[in-house]
Amino acid sequence: MEFKKVTVVYFSPTGNSKKYASEIAKRFDINYKELNITDYNTRRETHRFKNDELVVFSAPVYYGRLPMVNGNIFENVQGQNTPAIFTVTYGNREFEDSLLELQNICEERGFHGIAGGAFIGPHTFSKIIAPNRPNEEDYKVLNDFVDKIKQTKDLTEVLKVSGDYPYKKVEKMPFVPIASDDCTKCGFCESICPVRAISKGNYKDTNSDLCIACFACVKQCPQHARGIDEHGFKQKVNMLEENLTKVDKRPELFYL
């Protein structure tokens, strides 16, 4: 199984989703390309792929769904019956309807799924939930995953992944990150926010209507000056850590 070009198309504010998709892509072609639609402007450009290419799509899971941004994160990516691998990354809880949602969105835009996978990465809100994923076992799974895809003889079949439609109701976290007094107003948070929820000149606050709680600004702030200092949020994190550190989940994989 060979393709003229292999491209990773990822929405990955904290890098976890990109990591898994890139590992898959390089097992097909060490010279794979990347398309980072986490970037606000890049996401608004049209990107086209042909039927002799392979695209590895990747996105994080928020409350069992894909990130809810205006339009959708793959709105301007178009294929021509282009083979695709769909991947989502979640923080050791559940991926629920997200992988099916990703497949449906991409196949409506001209891509044809040949495999899918739900992988585990460090939880966005916690340093102790799945902190070292992908681990050695995950890399073995990735090797087997790609090997099995390469052995597929009929790429015209219909891929079936888990998930329900209608999708589960979209949930939104009632807290958003803001800057502390340590903020130097460098503007880096504004430059990396994938949904432009942080305004130039007002780096302290965050637009709660736009924010998707991806924590890109929190994890990449040079001064470690952004976060959520709300009691309700701390309670939520404590509950997650109590429930999600008991068992390390394994990736779930789907093939033609």
Side-chain angles (χ1 to χ4, degrees):
M1 181 184 298
E2 295 199 5
F3 302 97
K4 187 174 181 179
K5 185 171 72 171
V6 177
T7 304
V8 175
V9 178
Y10 64 89
F11 184 91
S12 185
T14 59
N16 293 328
S17 298
K18 174 190 175 183
K19 185 179 297 183
Y20 275 104
S22 298
E23 288 292 335
I24 292 169
K26 77 179 183 182
R27 285 163 170 75
F28 283 95
D29 183 353
I30 194 66
N31 297 312
Y32 70 92
K33 308 299 181 182
E34 293 185 358
L35 177 60
N36 178 14
I37 58 171
T38 321
D39 178 74
Y40 183 90
N41 291 323
T42 302
R43 199 165 62 249
R44 274 152 180 73
E45 298 169 354
T46 299
H47 307 278
R48 293 184 173 87
F49 297 89
K50 299 179 180 179
N51 61 4
D52 57 357
E53 301 180 42
L54 172 67
V55 176
V56 184
F57 287 96
S58 188
V61 179
Y62 298 156
Y63 295 99
R65 295 284 304 276
L66 296 183
M68 293 294 114
V69 302
N70 291 334
N72 70 67
I73 52 180
F74 300 106
E75 183 175 18
N76 294 316
V77 183
Q78 300 176 2
Q80 298 177 359
N81 199 32
T82 307
I85 299 171
F86 308 122
T87 69
V88 295
T89 308
Y90 66 105
N92 207 45
R93 190 187 70 84
E94 297 289 346
F95 64 95
E96 293 170 288
D97 299 334
S98 59
L99 188 58
L100 176 63
E101 184 179 13
L102 175 58
Q103 178 184 4
N104 289 343
I105 287 172
C106 294
E107 290 189 343
E108 287 173 0
R109 283 157 178 76
F111 295 88
H112 176 72
I114 63 172
F119 300 92
I120 296 86
H123 198 286
T124 301
F125 300 157
S126 171
K127 294 181 179 179
I128 67 171
I129 301 174
N132 300 313
R133 307 291 292 270
N135 56 25
E136 184 176 349
E137 182 62 29
D138 290 321
Y139 287 115
K140 291 179 181 177
V141 169
L142 286 171
N143 286 334
D144 293 340
F145 181 55
V146 172
D147 286 345
K148 190 165 183 178
I149 296 171
K150 288 180 177 180
Q151 294 169 15
T152 304
K153 298 188 183 301
D154 185 1
L155 297 183
T156 65
E157 295 184 13
V158 177
L159 176 68
K160 295 183 179 180
V161 304
S162 67
D164 294 317
Y165 185 84
Y167 311 127
K168 67 172 291 189
K169 183 180 178 181
V170 174
E171 296 184 45
K172 188 173 178 63
M173 193 174 73
F175 314 105
V176 297
I178 61 173
S180 69
D181 293 338
D182 293 329
C183 175
T184 62
K185 299 182 179 180
C186 70
F188 187 68
C189 58
E190 183 271 334
S191 71
I192 62 169
C193 177
V195 293
R196 292 192 170 175
I198 304 170
S199 301
K200 288 184 178 180
N202 184 22
Y203 304 124
K204 181 176 178 60
D205 295 326
T206 304
N207 185 322
S208 60
D209 291 331
L210 296 176
C211 180
I212 57 174
C214 69
F215 270 41
C217 64
V218 175
K219 295 181 179 295
Q220 298 184 56
C221 174
Q223 302 300 320
H224 307 288
R226 295 188 68 84
I228 300 176
D229 192 24
E230 296 273 355
H231 179 66
F233 177 71
K234 293 178 180 178
Q235 284 185 314
K236 180 178 182 64
V237 172
N238 289 338
M239 179 193 68
L240 289 171
E241 291 178 343
E242 181 179 353
N243 293 329
L244 302 183
T245 54
K246 296 175 181 177
V247 177
D248 287 331
K249 294 196 171 184
R250 289 176 53 83
E252 293 190 37
L253 308 174
F254 305 87
Y255 309 91
L256 293 178

